[in-house]
Amino acid sequence: MMEIPLLNFVPMHSEIKSDMQQAFNRVYESNRFVLGEEVRQFEKSYATFNQVEHCVGLSNGLDALHLSLKALGIKEGDEVLLPSNTYIATALAVSHVGAKPVFVEPNIDTYNIDVKCIDAAITTKTKVIMPVHLYGQSCEMENVMEIAHENNLFVIEDNAQAQGASFNNKLTGSWGHVNATSYYPGKNLGAIGDAGAVTTQSEELATKIKTLRNYGSNKKYYNEILGYNMRLDELQAAFLSVKLGKIHEWTRQRIEIASWYDEDLKGVSDLILPKTAEKATHVYHLFVVRTSKRNELQKYLNEKGIGTLIHYPIVPHMQEALKFLDHKKNDFPIAERIAETCLSLPLWPGLLREEVSYVSKCIKFFLRS
Ligand SMILES: *Cc1c(COP(=O)(O)O)cnc(C)c1O
């Protein structure tokens, strides 16, 4: 029996071990640990990678979403549209600035916000649309931007899962007024601890977020606004610079591994494979399949040594933490259906063809018997 975890850092990390150790030594010897040359350098490289003017390094993805909203002046009384099947962080960030998260159902094929459902959710209080590029696939950003423009709304992309994906050849993280990403270790570009960033074309918003991340201060001990400590640290920036050099190769591998699953699993009954929208690309942060026998399949694969996870088992509108929104079961049936049937299969750069074949063989054996 093979042992195949959902995610395995070893192939990626062994490849870059000596570069990572050098990065550590560089920071250690510099004796500069907060907001120094490493953060500046990484911000510059990531902005180039993401084809935007500005990147501001932050403590994590949740804080990046939070400061994006804050920088746009979103506050109590405002409404923010977000998909009903997102990770909880998107909804938490909206709540943390005092605004109301308003859920919009996803498209059942792409799992991304259904652009046909956005209009109906817009009210006089709506200020922002927050599309989430879920599992690594870009949302249909041309439509999202058009709706935002017509209704005078801001767009904040949640690009935590889709670094390097694009829509009509324009990268995720470069469409919105300001966009958040996460470098949580398991993300496509992951630090070896917590980290995140915003990307934007706006110098004004970048400056505002730099002030907010550093105690509301641009000049030591002069505090202009009520800020936070939400800085990216030098060590994580140095590690991220090493890993950024690998992102194209690792993304290529993710896409290749997804194509192996597609090849092995196409046509299997009661198994829905990922679908990518026209003009969108998918960087396979996760390879998510759906089946009516999800719980049984997960249990079977576990017995066969195969790690899987459910992204996500509880939809945001049914979370205890968001009870104040007064939602009930069936308010967002598509999100609920995805939560009940989805299963993420092992996928990481370095996963071998024979390992994918083994996972696929086990899935086929289970669903056919
Ligand atoms: C990971 C993630 C976040 C939050 O990032 P952290 O760095 O863990 O705070 C936000 N949104 C989505 C969609 C994510 O996957």
Side-chain angles (χ1 to χ4, degrees):
M1 189 172 87
M2 290 190 187
E3 285 286 338
I4 307 177
L6 179 83
L7 170 62
N8 177 10
F9 291 113
V10 174
M12 280 182 281
H13 284 185
S14 51
E15 203 182 317
I16 56 172
K17 188 168 176 180
S18 73
D19 289 344
M20 293 292 264
Q21 286 170 335
Q22 265 175 37
F24 170 83
N25 289 338
R26 201 165 65 232
V27 174
Y28 197 76
E29 307 292 329
S30 79
N31 290 303
R32 178 78 195 251
F33 305 118
V34 172
L35 293 188
E37 201 43 49
E38 296 290 344
V39 167
R40 214 160 18 241
Q41 201 50 54
F42 173 72
E43 287 174 339
K44 216 173 127 207
S45 312
Y46 193 78
T48 302
F49 164 79
N50 205 149
Q51 298 174 7
V52 290
E53 288 296 318
H54 307 277
C55 165
V56 182
L58 299 169
S59 32
N60 57 61
L62 173 60
D63 291 347
L65 290 163
H66 183 168
L67 291 194
S68 297
L69 290 155
K70 199 89 193 164
L72 292 172
I74 307 308
K75 55 184 190 312
E76 201 176 333
D78 295 337
E79 292 180 359
V80 176
L81 307 186
L82 69 171
S84 51
N85 60 328
T86 187
Y87 179 56
I88 190 75
T90 328
L92 288 180
V94 174
S95 307
H96 288 336
V97 298
K100 183 183 171 191
V102 174
F103 297 113
V104 176
E105 287 270 63
N107 176 295
I108 190 64
D109 292 322
T110 64
Y111 312 134
N112 277 333
I113 194 165
D114 191 333
V115 290
K116 290 187 296 302
C117 299
I118 296 177
D119 268 325
I122 295 173
T123 72
T124 53
K125 295 178 178 171
T126 310
K127 293 282 159 58
V128 183
I129 308 175
M130 287 177 109
V132 180
H133 308 296
L134 202 70
Y135 307 149
Q137 177 177 184
S138 172
C139 294
E140 292 167 86
M141 287 309 297
E142 282 173 348
N143 297 294
V144 171
M145 297 311 293
E146 195 178 307
I147 296 165
H149 188 73
E150 278 166 8
N151 293 279
N152 220 352
L153 306 176
F154 292 116
V155 171
I156 300 173
E157 293 170 69
D158 180 338
N159 196 30
Q161 302 191 358
Q163 295 128 353
S166 62
F167 189 79
N168 200 12
N169 295 314
K170 185 172 159 59
L171 289 173
T172 57
S174 73
W175 293 80
H177 297 82
V178 54
N179 311 300
T181 194
S182 163
Y183 307 122
Y184 179 77
K187 301 291 157 81
N188 286 26
L189 177 61
I192 55 175
D194 276 310
V198 297
T199 50
T200 179
Q201 306 288 12
S202 159
E203 178 160 12
E204 186 191 335
L205 289 172
T207 304
K208 215 172 211 172
I209 289 170
K210 280 183 182 173
T211 309
L212 283 164
R213 77 171 168 187
N214 191 29
Y215 289 108
S217 165
N218 273 316
K219 189 173 160 195
K220 212 171 171 69
Y221 306 129
Y222 286 79
N223 302 84
E224 302 150 39
I225 50 175
L226 296 177
Y228 303 86
N229 178 351
M230 294 182 174
R231 301 174 297 225
L232 174 64
D233 77 66
E234 286 283 286
L235 256 184
Q236 293 307 335
F239 295 140
L240 282 164
S241 290
V242 173
K243 294 182 96 176
L244 185 60
K246 288 280 173 187
I247 186 83
H248 290 297
E249 168 55 20
W250 287 341
T251 300
R252 189 195 64 72
Q253 288 188 41
R254 286 177 182 276
I255 293 169
E256 183 171 43
I257 292 160
S259 79
W260 295 337
Y261 276 125
D262 278 334
E263 203 176 300
D264 291 354
L265 294 171
K266 97 177 155 260
V268 176
S269 66
D270 195 9
L271 188 75
I272 299 166
L273 297 173
K275 292 187 194 73
T276 308
E278 208 183 312
K279 293 200 248 179
T281 69
H282 200 316
V283 293
Y284 295 98
H285 170 57
L286 295 167
F287 191 91
V288 178
V289 298
R290 292 199 301 119
T291 170
S292 67
K293 301 189 191 67
R294 192 268 312 274
N295 293 346
E296 298 90 327
L297 176 62
Q298 181 174 40
K299 185 164 167 285
Y300 177 77
L301 292 178
N302 186 49
E303 286 161 8
K304 293 288 166 194
I306 299 165
T308 58
L309 268 182
I310 297 165
H311 296 94
Y312 299 91
I314 300 173
V315 286
H317 70 274
M318 295 304 286
Q319 292 283 2
E320 187 75 24
L322 297 176
K323 228 165 95 177
F324 63 92
L325 293 171
D326 267 335
H327 286 303
K328 53 189 188 311
K329 197 162 162 52
N330 259 327
D331 278 359
F332 301 97
I334 297 175
E336 292 173 29
R337 190 172 5 140
I338 295 167
E340 283 159 13
T341 54
C342 69
L343 190 66
S344 303
L345 303 182
L347 192 157
W348 69 83
L351 184 66
L352 302 173
R353 182 65 180 101
E354 67 208 66
E355 292 173 318
V356 170
S357 298
Y358 173 72
V359 176
S360 301
K361 197 183 76 189
C362 292
I363 292 171
K364 283 190 274 198
F365 181 83
F366 176 81
L367 287 176
R368 281 172 182 167
S369 55

